[in-house]
């Protein structure tokens, strides 16, 4: 068993070399790594809470801001909406 250390001389875990037993003529070896500590560079992501949005204006298809919607097609939050009343 050998110990593995990071660039700050902190122990990462142990590893050992095991012979390949799948083939009698193969002399290949592969590492088996067992880490003690979890990676130090990965943290829990933070989520920004959305702000409460101010009321968005409503526009007609000519790009004019409207106060009250009648029958027709309007733009609200960047999407076309249809008012049937």
């Amino acid at each position: 068993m050998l110990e593995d250390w990071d660039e700050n001389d902190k122990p990462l875990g142990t590893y050992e070399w095991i012979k390949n037993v799948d083939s009698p003529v193969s002399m290949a070896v592969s590492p088996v790594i067992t880490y003690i500590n979890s990676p130090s560079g990965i943290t829990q992501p933070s989520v920004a809470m959305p702000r409460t949005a101010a009321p968005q204006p409503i526009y007609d298809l000519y790009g004019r801001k409207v106060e009250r919607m009648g029958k027709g097609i309007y733009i609200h939050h960047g999407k076309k909406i249809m008012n049937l009343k």
Side-chain angles (χ1 to χ4, degrees):
M1 278 281 169
L2 300 170
E3 285 198 30
D4 196 13
W5 301 81
D6 68 3
E7 64 275 357
N8 297 322
D9 292 329
K10 292 184 181 178
L12 293 175
T14 59
Y15 66 94
E16 61 182 309
W17 290 90
I18 298 176
K19 281 189 177 182
N20 184 359
V21 294
D22 295 336
S23 171
V25 281
S26 176
M27 296 302 289
V29 292
S30 61
V32 175
I33 301 172
T34 306
Y35 287 105
I36 300 169
N37 301 325
S38 61
S40 60
I42 300 174
T43 59
Q44 185 69 18
S46 61
V47 178
M49 297 301 292
R51 294 181 289 195
T52 56
Q56 294 290 319
I58 300 171
Y59 299 95
D60 63 11
L61 291 180
Y62 292 108
R64 300 176 294 203
K65 193 184 300 186
V66 295
E67 297 296 323
R68 297 181 189 203
M69 293 190 306
K71 279 187 176 180
I73 300 174
Y74 296 92
I75 300 173
H76 186 58
H77 292 288
K79 296 182 180 180
K80 293 177 190 163
I81 58 172
M82 185 181 294
N83 189 13
L84 300 175
K85 296 182 180 183

